[in-house]
Amino acid sequence: MAEITRRRYIGGAGALLGGLLAVACGEVEIRYVQGPAGPAGPAGAQGERGATGAQGVQGESGAAGQTIVVDKPVTQVVEKTIVAAPNTKVVMWTGFWRGGNMSDRGTGWTDLTNRWNGENLNITFVLQPVAGQGNNTDEKIISNYAAGTPPDLVHTAYWSGGVYGIRDMLPELMETFIRHDKEYADSMDDFFPHLLDSSYWNGQLWSLPQETNADLPYTNLAFVREAGLEPLTLGFTWDEWVEWMKVMQTSLGDGKETGKWAIGHMLNTVVWWNLVFQAGGSIFNEDRTKLVLDSPEALEALQFVSDIHHKHQVAVPHRSYYEETGKERPSFRKGQIGQFYETSASRLVTWAQDIGGLDNMYVTPSPTKKQPFVANFGQNTYLFKTNTQQMEAAWQVMRWLTSTDAAAHYAAVTMFLAPRKSVLTHPEYQAVRENVPQFETFVQSLSYGFRPFHPTLPSMFGGIGGMLSEAGQNPNANLKDGLAEVVRVENAKLAKWTADNA
C-alpha cells in the first residue's frame, strides 16, 4: 500500500475538515518484451560429388519473453468529506489549573488558546480544569467518559495513554489521523524518539508529546566559590561527587549546627530512579511485565542515598529530625542548601532571584556511575473518542498544539523542555537559551534522557517513597531486604494489572 495523503481545508463556518484521500492501491501495468533471437542452426549435410553443402538456415527466434514491468501505480481517489458544524467548540482539560486559576505552568496554555482563537473562525478552542469526581485526573476522566461527558482533548501525564487506551476511550492516532495527514506524518521523526516511544502502549499511538522536563541539581554558586570548588561538569563520577559535597559541607560547617547542607531532596523516588539508571540498572524488564528494582545496581543506588545521609552527613536529614527538634527545615531558596534536585521550568529564574540572581545559579549535569542519566517526565496531549466531526475538529487543534511553532511558544513561556528537535532552533526558544544560559544544561540532557514508562507508574511512588524514607531516617536499615520487599509487593500488583488488562 503506497502513501496516503490528505488535503485539508479550514475556513469559515461549515468549513471542510477532511478532504480527498489519495490511496495508491498497488495495481500494475504489464508489458511483454520481445526476447532475444535464438542461436544459429548447425551446418547442413555435405553435398554430392564432393561439393560442400550450404550452411544450415539460422534457427528461429526464441519465444517472446514475459518480463513484468511495474510502472507508477494506478491511483484511486476516495472522497472523504467531513463537514464541521458552524462554530465547533473543542474543549481541552488541563491539570495545570488550581483553585480556579491557571498555575504559573499553565500560562503557556492561556497564550496558545488566545493564539488559536485569534486565527481560526470555525473552531473555538476552550480551556477548562479537569472536571468530575475522583482523587486524581485519571479517575475523573474515566468517570466522565463513562457518563458520556468526556472532553475533546486532555493535557496530562504521558503514562496515562495506556490507562485510557485499554479502555477504548481514545482513537489510535496513527491509523485514524496521522497516516492520512502527510504533512504531519512527515514531521513525526522530529519528535525526540524516547518521548514519542512513551506515547505508545501495546504498539498503538494513544497520545502525542507536549512537553517534558529533567531533574538535575540546582546549584548555588556562592557556596561553590566559598568552598574553593569548581562547578561540576558532565562526566563526574559518584565518588567525585561525594568528595565535592564533603568539601562543601566542611565549608558550611556541621549542618545540624549551621542549618546549611551540601545537598537536599535526595529522598525522592525520581532522584533514586536517576541513580539506578546511572548505575546501569532499570525499572522494568524488557516487556514491562516485571519490576527489576531488586538488582545490584538498584541496591547500589539505595546505598549511595543512605551513605550521603548517614556516613558522609552531607544531605538534608529526614523530616523526622526537624519534627523531633523543632528546627526549621532548610531551603535552597533561602540560601541554606548547596545543591537541590529539581525539574526544568521557570523556577530556574525565580529561584535564582531568591539566591542573588542568575550569577549565583548553576545547573549541574547528571552524575555518572556507568553512564549519565536523567529521567524526562512531562505531559502529553490526548484526543478522546466522540463523534467523527468532533474528533476531526479536535485533531485540527491537537496537530497545531503539537506543531513546532505552538510547542516552541509553550516551552519558551514555561521553560519546560520541548518534545521536538526543531523547537531547539526556533527563535522563541532560542531567546530563552540565550537569555538564561543555565537552562542549556537541561536542554543538553535530552541527549541522554529517558522516560520510565508504564500505565501503573504513579502507583509505585508510595511504596518506593516509603523505602527511601526508611533509608534516610534509619542508619541501620536493612536496605537489601527492604528493597526486595518493595519489589515483591509492587510486582504482585503489576502481575494483577497485567492479567486484568491482557
Side-chain angles (χ1 to χ4, degrees):
M1 183 72 70
E3 187 174 61
I4 298 175
T5 61
R6 168 179 294 187
R7 300 194 198 105
R8 180 171 294 99
Y9 307 89
I10 303 178
L16 299 181
L17 297 183
L20 300 180
L21 296 185
V23 184
C25 297
E27 299 175 13
V28 297
E29 179 183 323
I30 300 176
R31 292 191 314 208
Y32 295 98
V33 180
Q34 183 70 26
Q46 187 175 9
E48 296 179 0
R49 298 188 178 89
T52 302
Q55 184 177 15
V57 178
Q58 184 177 8
E60 295 180 358
S61 297
Q66 293 193 6
T67 303
I68 298 178
V69 177
V70 180
D71 285 342
K72 61 183 179 180
V74 178
T75 301
Q76 294 181 346
V77 177
V78 180
E79 287 195 17
K80 181 181 179 183
T81 303
I82 302 171
V83 181
N87 301 316
T88 302
K89 181 170 71 172
V90 171
V91 175
M92 180 177 199
W93 289 354
T94 174
F96 288 172
W97 197 304
R98 299 288 184 271
N101 298 302
M102 293 297 294
S103 68
D104 57 347
R105 294 181 176 188
T107 304
W109 280 114
T110 303
D111 287 358
L112 292 181
T113 305
N114 292 338
R115 282 193 177 193
W116 173 273
N117 290 331
E119 298 172 4
N120 295 271
L121 300 178
N122 188 57
I123 302 173
T124 301
F125 180 29
V126 179
L127 198 65
Q128 294 178 355
V130 178
Q133 302 298 314
N135 295 324
N136 58 47
T137 297
D138 285 348
E139 289 181 3
K140 293 176 181 179
I141 291 172
I142 291 169
S143 64
N144 274 273
Y145 191 89
T149 56
D152 299 300
L153 302 171
V154 165
H155 170 246
T156 190
Y158 66 86
W159 53 68
S160 292
V163 176
Y164 308 144
I166 60 179
R167 289 173 169 81
D168 197 31
M169 296 165 59
L170 308 170
E172 204 281 334
L173 294 175
M174 185 62 70
E175 178 64 27
T176 309
F177 299 110
I178 297 172
R179 131 180 224 269
H180 308 299
D181 188 333
K182 184 178 187 303
E183 180 183 9
Y184 199 90
D186 288 346
S187 79
M188 291 293 281
D189 287 343
D190 187 37
F191 285 110
F192 285 99
H194 67 290
L195 303 184
L196 186 59
D197 287 349
S198 65
S199 302
Y200 286 86
W201 185 253
N202 289 342
Q204 296 186 298
L205 185 64
W206 297 125
S207 64
L208 290 169
Q210 191 66 54
E211 86 276 351
T212 188
N213 56 35
D215 285 74
L216 292 172
Y218 284 31
T219 302
N220 188 327
L221 285 179
F223 284 15
V224 176
R225 291 189 289 264
E226 289 169 7
L229 294 166
E230 292 293 327
L232 295 163
T233 56
L234 187 63
F236 68 95
T237 66
W238 283 7
D239 290 341
E240 291 170 336
W241 192 22
V242 167
E243 294 305 311
W244 189 90
M245 288 188 285
K246 286 164 68 175
V247 172
M248 177 177 285
Q249 192 63 59
T250 299
S251 173
L252 296 174
D254 184 338
K256 292 185 177 179
E257 296 296 328
T258 65
K260 295 183 177 181
W261 296 91
I263 195 164
H265 208 216
M266 292 298 291
L267 300 175
N268 177 277
T269 300
V270 173
V271 173
W272 179 61
W273 279 342
N274 282 347
L275 296 172
V276 170
F277 279 91
Q278 289 163 22
S282 186
I283 298 176
F284 300 102
N285 61 356
E286 191 169 333
D287 62 1
R288 298 192 185 97
T289 58
K290 184 178 180 181
L291 282 177
V292 292
L293 284 171
D294 49 355
S295 65
E297 294 84 2
L299 182 59
E300 188 175 25
L302 186 58
Q303 186 67 60
F304 179 85
V305 171
S306 175
D307 285 349
I308 63 172
H309 282 85
H310 306 302
K311 180 180 178 181
H312 307 302
Q313 297 187 24
V314 295
V316 174
H318 186 271
R319 64 178 180 275
S320 61
Y321 169 78
Y322 297 98
E323 293 169 355
E324 293 167 1
T325 63
K327 293 182 178 180
E328 181 182 8
R329 294 192 71 180
S331 165
F332 180 87
R333 302 182 70 175
K334 292 181 179 179
Q336 297 165 312
I337 301 175
Q339 286 190 325
F340 193 90
Y341 251 99
E342 253 304 344
T343 60
S344 55
S346 57
R347 66 170 60 87
L348 173 62
V349 174
T350 57
W351 285 22
Q353 293 169 352
D354 293 334
I355 61 172
L358 284 171
D359 288 343
N360 280 342
M361 176 64 85
Y362 177 75
V363 180
T364 299
S366 167
T368 296
K369 182 66 175 177
K370 292 182 179 178
Q371 60 190 3
F373 175 86
V374 59
N376 295 142
F377 287 88
Q379 314 278 321
N380 280 15
T381 294
Y382 298 84
L383 190 157
F384 285 80
K385 283 186 176 180
T386 52
N387 62 64
T388 303
Q389 290 86 355
Q390 192 68 27
M391 286 196 296
E392 183 71 19
W395 169 244
Q396 301 307 318
V397 178
M398 184 180 190
R399 75 186 302 280
W400 178 78
L401 291 174
T402 56
S403 68
T404 296
D405 282 346
H409 180 75
Y410 179 77
V413 170
T414 60
M415 291 185 68
F416 278 126
L417 297 174
R420 289 183 174 275
K421 289 170 278 190
S422 59
V423 171
L424 301 184
T425 55
H426 191 280
E428 283 193 81
Y429 206 59
Q430 272 293 100
V432 175
R433 299 174 69 180
E434 293 169 2
N435 294 333
V436 188
Q438 295 85 344
F439 186 64
E440 195 65 17
T441 308
F442 286 115
V443 174
Q444 292 170 356
S445 75
L446 285 169
S447 66
Y448 54 84
F450 179 71
R451 270 190 165 178
F453 180 45
H454 194 279
T456 66
L457 202 65
S459 70
M460 300 175 187
F461 279 76
I464 292 173
M467 177 200 64
L468 289 167
S469 179
E470 175 66 13
Q473 183 176 10
N474 181 4
N476 300 313
N478 188 323
L479 303 182
K480 184 176 182 179
D481 288 353
L483 182 57
E485 177 60 14
V486 167
V487 172
R488 184 192 68 78
V489 171
E490 295 300 328
N491 265 333
K493 294 192 296 186
L494 183 56
K496 184 179 185 307
W497 185 91
T498 302
D500 290 345
N501 295 282

